[in-house]
Amino acid sequence: MSGTWTGPKRLRWVTGAAVAALAAGLLSGCSDSGASDTVYFGVSGPRTGQSAEYGRLWQQGFDLALREVNAAGGINGKKVALKWEDSQSDPKQTVPIATKFVGDRSIIAELGDFSSPASIAASPVYNRGKLLQYGFTNSAADFTKGGDYSWSPSITQDVYQERNAQWVRQAGGRKVSVVYLETDWGKQSFGYFQKAAKDKGIDIAYSSPILPDSTDFRPILIKARDAAPDAVVHLGYGPDGALVIKQLRDVGFTGPFYGGQNTPQFIQLAGPAAEGDIISGIFSPSDPDPRVQEFTARFRSEFGTDPGDFNVYAYDAIQVLVKAARAGGATREGIVQGLRDVKDFSGIGLGPSFAFDQQSRRPSGVQPIELQLRDGRFVPAAAQGR
């Protein structure tokens, strides 16, 4: 029989199919995963584009967490799985992804996006749709102001930059040059660092924004060097941080560098130029805490490499949301209620016990740690005599 239908028969067939599809959609729209044996989280994050490395690191953390969660019975006997959409961490893409996730009633929570601006753009959609938006890497203080359904475990930039300034000052730094991404996030981070530096008696002798997609920062870095700073501070991500430190060394600056990120990509791209680099982080595989050592061993066994911050962010995100859903129920409202009610969440990067502040919808009392790059690994700076 031919696959082509014509005339009234075709019309009746199409009409019947459309009615069936509509009915199925309405049924699934009422399910909230209740009738399914699988609980889904949506992931809006970069799998391609400039930020694809972060999506790869997320996937490793997700995979390990899901394997452990499902081996332990999932959420009240239901398997936990993800529905990924590649956003490239682009605000123009996160909004339609949010619309898609809100319309998919099998999804009880969303994870992402990577960058705060990409997440903030989609916040109105998630909040109108009453779908939890769990921005687990979103450090912009404004992110959780998007509404009652925008939550984040991330330490905010005001806290990160106060600590950065503190560590510069403790190391004897009184004058610095600062380069920061020319984005809303970068400008806000610089504002926080500027305030903290002033409070601690640190002079910012030179500052300049840098374009995220630029590959030659030397003209700016020469000016940063010529200001004769005690240290150079970079406020940005791993790829741009690697270029900054390599080119900073190329133009002859030999002093301390505060910047980059705890990712394999940064360490590989920066190479020996980044030795001694200092960052604010949440995790080090060298931490003697038994929980950290057990996690690191499991991660190494699975992936053949040490975990970094973004693996940990993703792993902890799954564990926290699963615990919330077990407590409040595997529904959109239930998982939010669980975040409100549970007082003993834990995480590899968030500490052995924490609860979410009900106003900020962020963890109470979580602080960054000072990490220093030594022999290709970020280790606690205190272990290096800092």
Side-chain angles (χ1 to χ4, degrees):
M1 179 183 294
S2 169
T4 302
W5 290 68
T6 59
K9 285 186 177 180
R10 181 177 183 276
L11 179 60
R12 287 195 300 271
W13 181 83
V14 170
T15 302
V19 170
L22 178 60
L26 290 172
L27 288 172
S28 67
C30 298
S31 70
D32 219 27
S33 82
S36 172
D37 60 358
T38 302
V39 176
Y40 289 100
F41 299 147
V43 180
S44 175
R47 306 193 87 165
T48 60
Q50 285 187 326
S51 300
E53 172 70 2
Y54 299 101
R56 184 185 72 82
L57 299 175
W58 283 11
Q59 185 69 67
Q60 290 176 329
F62 288 153
D63 286 349
L64 184 59
L66 288 172
R67 189 169 296 112
E68 294 173 5
V69 163
N70 288 324
I75 298 176
N76 304 328
K78 294 185 177 184
K79 178 183 175 183
V80 182
L82 305 178
K83 292 187 177 183
W84 262 90
E85 290 290 335
D86 179 13
S87 68
Q88 297 187 334
S89 203
D90 179 353
K92 294 190 294 293
Q93 298 191 49
T94 57
V95 174
I97 290 171
T99 301
K100 181 175 183 178
F101 283 167
V102 167
D104 183 345
R105 296 297 301 187
S106 70
I107 294 174
I108 68 165
E110 181 266 348
L111 292 146
D113 205 278
F114 164 64
S115 74
S116 296
S119 291
I120 290 171
S123 291
V125 179
Y126 289 116
N127 280 273
R128 284 196 302 269
K130 298 184 177 181
L131 175 64
L132 171 65
Q133 181 188 27
Y134 196 68
F136 62 98
T137 60
N138 296 153
S139 60
D142 289 344
F143 166 68
T144 57
K145 296 176 183 177
D148 292 344
Y149 291 84
S150 295
W151 294 64
S152 177
S154 179
I155 299 167
T156 52
Q157 278 302 310
D158 54 336
V159 176
Y160 273 125
Q161 299 315 324
E162 189 279 331
R163 287 306 175 95
N164 275 344
Q166 175 182 321
W167 292 327
V168 169
R169 189 66 187 85
Q170 286 177 348
R174 292 182 177 275
K175 184 167 72 168
V176 297
S177 292
V178 184
V179 295
Y180 56 94
L181 287 181
E182 193 166 3
T183 63
D184 290 342
W185 176 91
K187 293 171 186 176
Q188 187 181 66
S189 298
F190 175 62
Y192 287 133
F193 182 84
Q194 196 172 32
K195 179 181 183 303
K198 181 179 180 180
D199 291 344
K200 298 178 189 304
I202 299 170
D203 175 37
I204 299 178
Y206 175 80
S207 65
S208 176
I210 56 174
L211 295 173
D213 56 355
S214 179
T215 58
D216 186 3
F217 302 120
R218 288 177 183 85
I220 290 171
L221 297 177
I222 288 171
K223 294 177 182 177
R225 176 204 66 192
D226 289 348
D230 298 321
V232 172
V233 177
H234 159 259
L235 307 177
Y237 299 140
D240 48 280
L243 287 173
V244 167
I245 183 56
K246 288 185 74 173
Q247 293 172 16
L248 195 59
R249 300 308 186 207
D250 287 345
V251 301
F253 181 76
T254 59
F257 178 71
Y258 294 77
Q261 283 182 320
N262 184 8
T263 66
Q265 184 185 44
F266 170 75
I267 295 170
Q268 180 180 4
L269 291 176
E275 181 71 7
D277 173 33
I278 296 166
I279 64 169
S280 300
I282 62 161
F283 167 84
S284 168
S286 300
D287 188 330
D289 184 325
R291 295 180 315 110
V292 172
Q293 288 305 305
E294 291 169 9
F295 166 78
T296 300
R298 297 195 304 273
F299 191 93
R300 284 174 182 157
S301 176
E302 187 70 26
F303 301 108
T305 187
D306 280 347
D309 281 5
F310 289 89
N311 303 123
V312 172
Y313 286 135
Y315 178 88
D316 282 352
I318 294 291
Q319 298 287 0
V320 166
L321 292 192
V322 166
K323 185 164 185 172
R326 285 172 177 166
T331 65
R332 292 185 173 186
E333 288 300 327
I335 196 168
V336 174
Q337 193 61 48
L339 289 176
R340 294 191 182 106
D341 292 346
V342 175
K343 305 305 180 187
D344 62 345
F345 288 111
S346 64
I348 301 303
L350 293 166
S353 182
F354 72 91
F356 284 91
D357 179 89
Q358 300 302 296
Q359 299 303 313
S360 68
R361 292 180 294 283
R362 291 186 186 268
S364 300
V366 178
Q367 297 290 336
I369 57 176
E370 185 183 16
L371 300 175
Q372 189 166 32
L373 189 62
R374 293 294 184 192
D375 300 321
R377 298 177 70 192
F378 276 106
V379 299
Q384 302 300 312
R386 286 293 311 280

